[in-house]
Amino acid sequence: MTTANHIGTEGNAVLDAVGAVVVGRRRSLRLALAAILAGGHVLLEDVPGLGKTLMARSLAQALRLDFKRLQCTPDLLPADVTGSFTYDPGDRDFTFRAGPVFTGLLLADEINRTPPKTQSALLEAMQERQVTVEGRTFPLPRPFHVLATANPVEYEGTYPLPEAQLDRFLLRVDVGYPPAEEEVEVLRRRLARRQEEATVEPVLDTDRLLALQQGVERVAVDDDVLRYCVDLAAATRDHPAVEVGASPRGAQALVLVGRALAVLDGRDFVLPEDVKECAVPALAHRLTLRPETWTSGTTGVEVVTELLGRVPGPAGSRS
């Protein structure tokens, strides 16, 4: 049986391997890996040039997942994502040609540049792990995960993701600018390898990743921690700046990612601190703010951060 210590050791080996290429992104990588171990999908959101694509490709290499990149553009069609039936003159019949969604890890690059109709083509894939084309259903390979990137700065030629689409992402992770010393290290490593492409040595294989994901499912969660997750999600619904708060799926995200963070630390039980670590990336993107709060600059991140300081956790947890 795969124990929490084994999962933590192998998970941190993945982070170390990716960290040899991706400089100074340990927190973002840890959250992204936790989401994958929890069986979910990740939205990496920040300005261009911060290494989001490199992070996704490096994780795929370390996990030895089949990797495909889908460059989202305004003219992208749903069939470009899922695949379509084409006529084969030799067989005199229509055959299905699978789209890029049939992979282990799909990078949907700049997902907010493609129209809602195409964005929605990913909904069934992300939730049901299958796609339906012309009435026929095709299962996706397992494991299957989506890492999408989005640029929150540009508005012209972009299509904001609808709430239903955002809700399918277990986490939304902000990457952020690196400190100056880390940025120098990025340049130093680029000069040292004398080529643009950087590769990561595989650490796991598909069967091992599936075994680790099953191990995460065995992590215990006390009722007090479950109640804390529910209280945090419920508090977003009563916040004066929020029009629509987090659904029960938000509380579930706290539990799922909390378990994965626990095993990355070598524990088979969840602490309130695990929930607090993932609260902002798990809940902030699930909030719909009131229109009047937009002008004040209030964000979902600020709302969840405020609630973390206000909602009491289980007795004995660190504030």
Side-chain angles (χ1 to χ4, degrees):
M1 180 181 292
T2 300
T3 65
N5 281 329
H6 288 144
I7 300 174
T9 299
E10 293 182 81
N12 282 285
V14 170
L15 294 178
D16 291 340
V18 176
V21 171
V22 182
V23 179
R25 301 296 185 193
R26 187 80 177 194
R27 173 188 168 276
S28 299
L29 289 168
R30 172 178 160 90
L31 287 169
L33 178 60
I36 291 174
L37 291 176
H41 313 287
V42 183
L43 176 63
L44 300 173
E45 188 172 77
D46 224 315
V47 298
L50 296 181
K52 300 185 294 295
T53 302
L54 177 62
M55 288 171 57
R57 186 172 64 247
S58 299
L59 274 173
Q61 291 174 345
L63 298 172
R64 199 175 289 173
L65 290 173
D66 184 22
F67 176 77
K68 291 181 182 177
R69 175 179 176 177
L70 178 68
Q71 185 61 53
C72 297
T73 56
D75 60 348
L76 198 69
L77 299 175
D80 297 326
V81 178
T82 62
S84 60
F85 284 92
T86 58
Y87 184 72
D88 187 341
D91 294 336
R92 296 183 179 181
D93 197 5
F94 287 90
T95 58
F96 179 69
R97 290 192 176 183
V101 76
F102 288 84
T103 187
L105 192 149
L106 174 69
L107 171 61
D109 213 1
E110 297 185 299
I111 191 173
N112 58 333
R113 287 196 175 278
T114 199
K117 185 176 181 179
T118 304
Q119 292 175 6
S120 65
L122 284 171
L123 277 174
E124 182 184 14
M126 294 171 68
Q127 186 66 25
E128 307 295 338
R129 262 64 174 187
Q130 64 182 30
V131 296
T132 302
V133 180
E134 295 186 16
R136 291 185 58 182
T137 299
F138 301 90
L140 297 176
R142 291 181 180 270
F144 167 74
H145 299 280
V146 174
L147 265 67
T149 69
N151 177 2
V153 177
E154 296 184 15
Y155 294 98
E156 186 175 351
T158 63
Y159 305 84
L161 272 68
E163 286 75 10
Q165 182 85 31
L166 282 171
D167 206 36
R168 294 306 191 276
F169 288 101
L170 193 60
L171 297 180
R172 182 184 67 184
V173 179
D174 298 326
V175 179
Y177 287 104
E181 187 53 45
E182 291 179 0
E183 197 165 354
V184 170
E185 181 63 22
V186 171
L187 301 179
R188 188 180 294 120
R189 293 190 187 184
R190 171 61 182 87
L191 293 174
R193 66 175 179 264
R194 298 186 179 183
Q195 61 180 17
E196 184 63 31
E197 184 179 357
T199 58
V200 175
E201 290 298 320
V203 177
L204 304 178
D205 57 24
T206 298
D207 290 339
R208 191 59 192 151
L209 175 58
L210 290 172
L212 297 189
Q213 291 175 335
Q214 286 299 311
V216 171
E217 291 291 339
R218 292 189 289 269
V219 173
V221 187
D222 288 341
D223 285 346
D224 286 348
V225 176
L226 291 177
R227 182 69 191 189
Y228 181 49
C229 294
V230 171
D231 288 346
L232 279 173
T236 65
R237 304 163 202 160
D238 298 327
H239 195 281
V242 177
E243 183 172 348
V244 180
S247 69
R249 188 178 282 134
Q252 180 172 290
L254 294 175
V255 174
L256 296 178
V257 181
R259 291 192 305 184
L261 291 173
V263 296
L264 285 176
D265 289 336
R267 286 181 278 105
D268 59 359
F269 57 91
V270 177
L271 294 174
E273 286 67 32
D274 299 319
V275 176
K276 294 175 182 178
E277 181 179 352
C278 67
V280 170
L283 295 180
H285 65 292
R286 303 177 193 272
L287 309 183
T288 301
L289 301 183
R290 297 185 183 278
E292 58 267 26
T293 64
W294 298 346
T295 57
S296 65
T298 302
T299 65
V301 171
E302 292 173 342
V303 170
V304 177
T305 302
E306 177 195 332
L307 293 175
L308 283 173
R310 183 152 55 87
V311 177
S317 64
R318 295 189 298 270
S319 58

